[in-house]
Amino acid sequence: VLLGVPPVGLVEKLPPGATITVVENPASAESLYRDVQGALARCDLWQRAEEKSRQLNRSRYELNELVTIARALTQERDITRLLTLILEKSRFITGADAGSIYVLEGNDPDDRRRTLRFKLSQNDSCKFESSEFTMPVSMRSISGAAVLTRKPISIADVYEIPSDAPYGFDRSFDEKVGYRTGSMICVPLINAEEEVIGVIQLINKKRQPECKLLTLADFDEHVVPFDGSSEELLKTLASQAGIA
Protein backbone atom coordinates (compact mmCIF):
# COMPACT_ATOMS: atom_id res chain seq x y z
CA VAL A 1 0.00 0.00 0.00
CA LEU A 2 1.51 3.32 -1.09
CA LEU A 3 0.57 6.87 -0.16
CA GLY A 4 0.49 9.03 -3.25
CA VAL A 5 1.94 8.19 -6.66
CA PRO A 6 4.20 5.07 -6.86
CA PRO A 7 7.83 5.59 -7.98
CA VAL A 8 8.57 5.19 -11.69
CA GLY A 9 9.42 1.60 -12.65
CA LEU A 10 8.19 0.05 -9.39
CA VAL A 11 5.41 -1.97 -11.01
CA GLU A 12 7.84 -3.68 -13.42
CA LYS A 13 10.03 -4.79 -10.51
CA LEU A 14 7.24 -6.44 -8.52
CA PRO A 15 7.47 -10.24 -8.09
CA PRO A 16 4.56 -12.49 -9.27
CA GLY A 17 1.56 -12.18 -6.97
CA ALA A 18 2.51 -8.77 -5.63
CA THR A 19 -0.11 -6.03 -5.69
CA ILE A 20 -0.04 -2.26 -5.28
CA THR A 21 -2.77 -0.18 -3.75
CA VAL A 22 -2.36 3.58 -4.01
CA VAL A 23 -4.23 5.78 -1.56
CA GLU A 24 -4.45 9.51 -1.26
CA ASN A 25 -2.00 11.29 0.96
CA PRO A 26 -2.95 12.02 3.64
CA ALA A 27 -5.24 8.99 4.17
CA SER A 28 -7.76 8.43 6.93
CA ALA A 29 -7.42 5.38 9.16
CA GLU A 30 -10.69 4.02 7.76
CA SER A 31 -9.64 4.29 4.10
CA LEU A 32 -6.19 2.92 4.86
CA TYR A 33 -7.71 -0.10 6.64
CA ARG A 34 -10.08 -0.70 3.72
CA ASP A 35 -7.28 -0.48 1.17
CA VAL A 36 -5.03 -2.84 3.14
CA GLN A 37 -7.85 -5.39 3.40
CA GLY A 38 -8.44 -5.14 -0.34
CA ALA A 39 -4.76 -5.68 -1.09
CA LEU A 40 -4.63 -8.74 1.18
CA ALA A 41 -7.75 -10.16 -0.47
CA ARG A 42 -6.17 -9.81 -3.92
CA CYS A 43 -3.00 -11.53 -2.74
CA ASP A 44 -5.07 -14.37 -1.31
CA LEU A 45 -6.96 -14.79 -4.59
CA TRP A 46 -3.67 -14.92 -6.51
CA GLN A 47 -2.26 -17.57 -4.17
CA ARG A 48 -5.42 -19.68 -4.52
CA ALA A 49 -5.23 -19.42 -8.31
CA GLU A 50 -1.57 -20.44 -8.27
CA GLU A 51 -2.34 -23.46 -6.07
CA LYS A 52 -5.19 -24.54 -8.37
CA SER A 53 -2.84 -24.20 -11.33
CA ARG A 54 -0.20 -26.35 -9.62
CA GLN A 55 -2.81 -29.00 -8.78
CA LEU A 56 -4.07 -29.02 -12.35
CA ASN A 57 -0.56 -29.36 -13.75
CA ARG A 58 0.17 -32.16 -11.28
CA SER A 59 -3.04 -33.98 -12.27
CA ARG A 60 -2.15 -33.70 -15.95
CA TYR A 61 1.34 -35.02 -15.23
CA GLU A 62 -0.01 -37.96 -13.21
CA LEU A 63 -2.55 -38.83 -15.91
CA ASN A 64 0.16 -38.83 -18.56
CA GLU A 65 2.32 -41.06 -16.36
CA LEU A 66 -0.53 -43.54 -15.84
CA VAL A 67 -1.14 -43.71 -19.59
CA THR A 68 2.57 -44.30 -20.20
CA ILE A 69 2.69 -46.95 -17.47
CA ALA A 70 -0.40 -48.73 -18.81
CA ARG A 71 1.17 -48.89 -22.26
CA ALA A 72 4.41 -50.29 -20.84
CA LEU A 73 2.57 -52.93 -18.79
CA THR A 74 0.62 -54.23 -21.76
CA GLN A 75 3.80 -54.59 -23.82
CA GLU A 76 5.81 -56.57 -21.24
CA ARG A 77 5.42 -60.37 -21.37
CA ASP A 78 8.20 -61.61 -19.10
CA ILE A 79 6.69 -62.05 -15.62
CA THR A 80 9.85 -61.11 -13.71
CA ARG A 81 10.40 -57.94 -15.72
CA LEU A 82 6.68 -57.17 -15.47
CA LEU A 83 6.68 -57.39 -11.66
CA THR A 84 9.86 -55.28 -11.53
CA LEU A 85 8.23 -52.66 -13.75
CA ILE A 86 5.05 -52.63 -11.65
CA LEU A 87 7.03 -52.03 -8.47
CA GLU A 88 9.27 -49.38 -10.04
CA LYS A 89 6.32 -47.41 -11.40
CA SER A 90 4.35 -47.76 -8.17
CA ARG A 91 7.22 -46.27 -6.21
CA PHE A 92 7.79 -43.57 -8.80
CA ILE A 93 4.25 -42.14 -8.83
CA THR A 94 3.96 -42.17 -5.02
CA GLY A 95 7.49 -41.10 -4.06
CA ALA A 96 8.12 -44.27 -2.03
CA ASP A 97 11.66 -45.10 -0.92
CA ALA A 98 11.08 -48.85 -0.91
CA GLY A 99 8.55 -51.51 -1.76
CA SER A 100 7.79 -55.18 -2.29
CA ILE A 101 5.46 -57.35 -4.34
CA TYR A 102 3.72 -60.48 -3.08
CA VAL A 103 1.96 -62.98 -5.34
CA LEU A 104 -0.98 -65.02 -4.11
CA GLU A 105 -0.55 -68.77 -4.64
CA GLY A 106 -2.98 -71.67 -4.50
CA ASN A 107 -6.39 -72.38 -6.05
CA ASP A 108 -8.55 -72.67 -2.95
CA PRO A 109 -11.52 -70.26 -3.15
CA ASP A 110 -10.89 -69.45 0.51
CA ASP A 111 -8.00 -66.99 0.48
CA ARG A 112 -7.18 -67.93 4.08
CA ARG A 113 -6.02 -71.33 2.83
CA ARG A 114 -3.64 -69.81 0.29
CA THR A 115 -0.15 -68.38 0.66
CA LEU A 116 1.57 -65.13 -0.23
CA ARG A 117 4.93 -65.47 -1.97
CA PHE A 118 7.40 -62.63 -1.56
CA LYS A 119 8.71 -62.09 -5.08
CA LEU A 120 10.95 -59.03 -5.06
CA SER A 121 11.81 -55.83 -3.25
CA GLN A 122 13.38 -52.48 -4.09
CA ASN A 123 14.97 -49.91 -1.81
CA ASP A 124 16.65 -46.65 -2.81
CA SER A 125 18.43 -46.14 0.51
CA CYS A 126 19.47 -49.60 1.67
CA LYS A 127 21.12 -52.46 -0.22
CA PHE A 128 20.57 -56.01 0.99
CA GLU A 129 20.19 -59.57 -0.26
CA SER A 130 16.66 -60.88 -0.48
CA SER A 131 15.15 -64.21 -1.48
CA GLU A 132 11.68 -65.54 -2.06
CA PHE A 133 9.65 -66.90 0.84
CA THR A 134 6.02 -67.72 1.54
CA MET A 135 3.69 -66.88 4.39
CA PRO A 136 0.07 -67.74 5.16
CA VAL A 137 -2.69 -65.30 4.27
CA SER A 138 -4.10 -63.96 7.52
CA MET A 139 -5.18 -60.75 9.16
CA ARG A 140 -2.06 -60.88 11.32
CA SER A 141 0.08 -59.43 8.52
CA ILE A 142 -0.59 -56.11 6.78
CA SER A 143 -0.27 -57.64 3.31
CA GLY A 144 -2.53 -60.53 4.32
CA ALA A 145 -5.12 -58.08 5.62
CA ALA A 146 -5.05 -56.27 2.26
CA VAL A 147 -5.82 -59.58 0.53
CA LEU A 148 -8.68 -60.51 2.84
CA THR A 149 -10.31 -57.06 2.97
CA ARG A 150 -9.60 -56.41 -0.75
CA LYS A 151 -8.92 -52.80 0.23
CA PRO A 152 -5.82 -50.59 0.54
CA ILE A 153 -4.32 -50.33 4.01
CA SER A 154 -2.37 -47.15 4.73
CA ILE A 155 -0.42 -46.68 7.96
CA ALA A 156 1.30 -43.43 8.93
CA ASP A 157 3.94 -45.20 11.06
CA VAL A 158 4.11 -48.98 11.43
CA TYR A 159 5.95 -48.59 14.75
CA GLU A 160 2.83 -46.88 16.10
CA ILE A 161 0.21 -49.46 15.09
CA PRO A 162 -2.45 -49.55 17.85
CA SER A 163 -2.35 -52.59 20.09
CA ASP A 164 -5.96 -53.46 19.22
CA ALA A 165 -5.25 -53.61 15.45
CA PRO A 166 -5.65 -57.12 13.94
CA TYR A 167 -2.22 -56.90 12.29
CA GLY A 168 1.22 -55.90 13.49
CA PHE A 169 4.69 -55.16 12.17
CA ASP A 170 7.83 -57.27 12.62
CA ARG A 171 10.84 -55.00 13.23
CA SER A 172 13.42 -57.76 12.77
CA PHE A 173 14.19 -56.79 9.14
CA ASP A 174 14.80 -53.16 10.14
CA GLU A 175 17.08 -54.21 12.95
CA LYS A 176 19.00 -56.59 10.68
CA VAL A 177 19.75 -54.16 7.84
CA GLY A 178 19.73 -50.85 9.75
CA TYR A 179 16.59 -49.44 8.16
CA ARG A 180 13.58 -47.63 9.66
CA THR A 181 10.21 -48.48 8.17
CA GLY A 182 7.79 -45.63 8.78
CA SER A 183 4.82 -45.01 6.52
CA MET A 184 3.39 -47.94 4.58
CA ILE A 185 0.61 -48.66 2.13
CA CYS A 186 -0.54 -52.08 0.89
CA VAL A 187 -2.84 -52.35 -2.13
CA PRO A 188 -4.26 -55.64 -3.47
CA LEU A 189 -3.64 -56.57 -7.11
CA ILE A 190 -6.98 -57.63 -8.63
CA ASN A 191 -7.28 -59.20 -12.09
CA ALA A 192 -10.00 -58.89 -14.73
CA GLU A 193 -11.99 -61.69 -13.05
CA GLU A 194 -12.07 -59.66 -9.81
CA GLU A 195 -9.72 -62.12 -8.10
CA VAL A 196 -6.97 -60.94 -5.76
CA ILE A 197 -3.69 -62.21 -7.21
CA GLY A 198 -1.13 -60.29 -5.18
CA VAL A 199 -0.20 -57.23 -3.13
CA ILE A 200 1.91 -54.14 -3.73
CA GLN A 201 3.52 -52.95 -0.50
CA LEU A 202 5.19 -49.53 -0.50
CA ILE A 203 7.29 -48.08 2.30
CA ASN A 204 8.35 -44.59 3.36
CA LYS A 205 6.84 -41.90 1.17
CA LYS A 206 9.39 -39.07 0.97
CA ARG A 207 8.90 -35.31 0.83
CA GLN A 208 11.58 -35.23 -1.86
CA PRO A 209 11.83 -38.51 -3.81
CA GLU A 210 15.53 -37.99 -4.61
CA CYS A 211 16.56 -37.95 -0.92
CA LYS A 212 18.32 -40.95 0.60
CA LEU A 213 17.31 -42.22 4.03
CA LEU A 214 20.62 -43.01 5.67
CA THR A 215 20.23 -41.85 9.27
CA LEU A 216 17.42 -41.65 11.79
CA ALA A 217 17.43 -37.89 11.27
CA ASP A 218 16.77 -38.48 7.56
CA PHE A 219 13.74 -40.60 8.38
CA ASP A 220 12.39 -38.02 10.79
CA GLU A 221 12.87 -35.18 8.31
CA HIS A 222 11.84 -36.72 5.00
CA VAL A 223 9.34 -39.54 5.61
CA VAL A 224 5.64 -38.62 5.49
CA PRO A 225 2.41 -40.66 5.38
CA PHE A 226 0.98 -41.76 2.04
CA ASP A 227 -1.78 -39.27 1.29
CA GLY A 228 -5.12 -39.73 -0.46
CA SER A 229 -3.67 -38.76 -3.83
CA SER A 230 -0.96 -41.42 -3.55
CA GLU A 231 -3.56 -44.02 -2.60
CA GLU A 232 -5.78 -43.21 -5.58
CA LEU A 233 -2.82 -43.27 -7.98
CA LEU A 234 -1.65 -46.60 -6.59
CA LYS A 235 -5.14 -48.10 -6.77
CA THR A 236 -5.37 -47.11 -10.44
CA LEU A 237 -1.95 -48.54 -11.22
CA ALA A 238 -2.73 -51.71 -9.24
CA SER A 239 -5.85 -52.25 -11.36
CA GLN A 240 -3.79 -51.94 -14.53
CA ALA A 241 -1.06 -54.17 -13.11
CA GLY A 242 -3.48 -56.86 -11.94
CA ILE A 243 -4.94 -57.18 -15.43
CA ALA A 244 -1.47 -57.17 -17.00
Side-chain angles (χ1 to χ4, degrees):
V1 178
L2 297 174
L3 296 177
V5 180
V8 176
L10 176 62
V11 175
E12 290 75 11
K13 298 178 181 179
L14 291 175
T19 181
I20 287 181
T21 298
V22 180
V23 298
E24 295 181 357
N25 188 11
S28 67
E30 182 179 343
S31 64
L32 187 59
Y33 175 81
R34 183 177 61 251
D35 290 331
V36 169
Q37 290 297 103
L40 292 174
R42 288 193 294 275
C43 288
D44 183 62
L45 286 174
W46 182 87
Q47 289 175 343
R48 289 173 183 268
E50 282 293 296
E51 180 61 28
K52 290 292 183 182
S53 178
R54 283 193 294 268
Q55 291 175 358
L56 180 59
N57 289 336
R58 178 65 186 177
S59 296
R60 287 172 176 165
Y61 169 78
E62 291 168 349
L63 179 60
N64 288 335
E65 284 299 317
L66 288 174
V67 170
T68 301
I69 291 168
R71 187 179 299 117
L73 293 180
T74 57
Q75 294 173 349
E76 183 57 71
R77 291 292 178 264
D78 180 87
I79 185 63
T80 300
R81 289 200 297 266
L82 178 60
L83 292 176
T84 300
L85 180 63
I86 290 170
L87 188 53
E88 285 177 352
K89 296 304 184 181
S90 298
R91 293 174 51 236
F92 174 73
I93 63 172
T94 59
D97 186 58
S100 304
I101 283 189
Y102 296 83
V103 175
L104 197 59
E105 296 184 335
N107 298 318
D108 198 299
D110 185 355
D111 287 336
R112 294 177 184 274
R113 298 178 182 176
R114 304 171 71 185
T115 57
L116 274 172
R117 177 174 292 275
F118 173 86
K119 292 295 292 184
L120 75 151
S121 65
Q122 297 170 358
N123 192 310
D124 280 344
S125 300
C126 180
K127 305 302 180 184
F128 56 89
E129 295 293 330
S130 63
S131 57
E132 293 189 13
F133 63 87
T134 60
M135 62 182 187
V137 176
S138 77
M139 289 295 293
R140 297 182 62 182
S141 69
I142 302 171
S143 54
V147 171
L148 296 175
T149 61
R150 300 172 63 91
K151 296 179 180 179
I153 297 176
S154 183
I155 303 170
D157 188 342
V158 293
Y159 282 24
E160 302 295 334
I161 295 176
S163 58
D164 59 350
Y167 45 74
F169 177 74
D170 183 359
R171 302 188 187 187
S172 59
F173 170 81
D174 284 8
E175 294 169 354
K176 178 180 179 181
V177 302
Y179 194 67
R180 167 58 163 102
T181 303
S183 56
M184 177 185 289
I185 186 169
C186 286
V187 175
L189 287 165
I190 300 176
N191 65 13
E193 287 72 40
E194 293 298 313
E195 300 169 329
V196 179
I197 58 173
V199 175
I200 301 174
Q201 181 184 81
L202 301 183
I203 295 170
N204 287 342
K205 177 179 175 65
K206 296 182 288 189
R207 298 182 191 276
Q208 298 173 309
E210 66 277 8
C211 292
K212 300 290 186 181
L213 306 178
L214 304 177
T215 67
L216 286 178
D218 293 334
F219 289 93
D220 292 338
E221 180 179 356
H222 297 295
V223 175
V224 295
F226 290 90
D227 54 18
S229 176
S230 295
E231 182 173 323
E232 289 302 315
L233 285 170
L234 188 56
K235 284 165 59 178
T236 302
L237 190 150
S239 297
Q240 299 171 342
I243 294 172

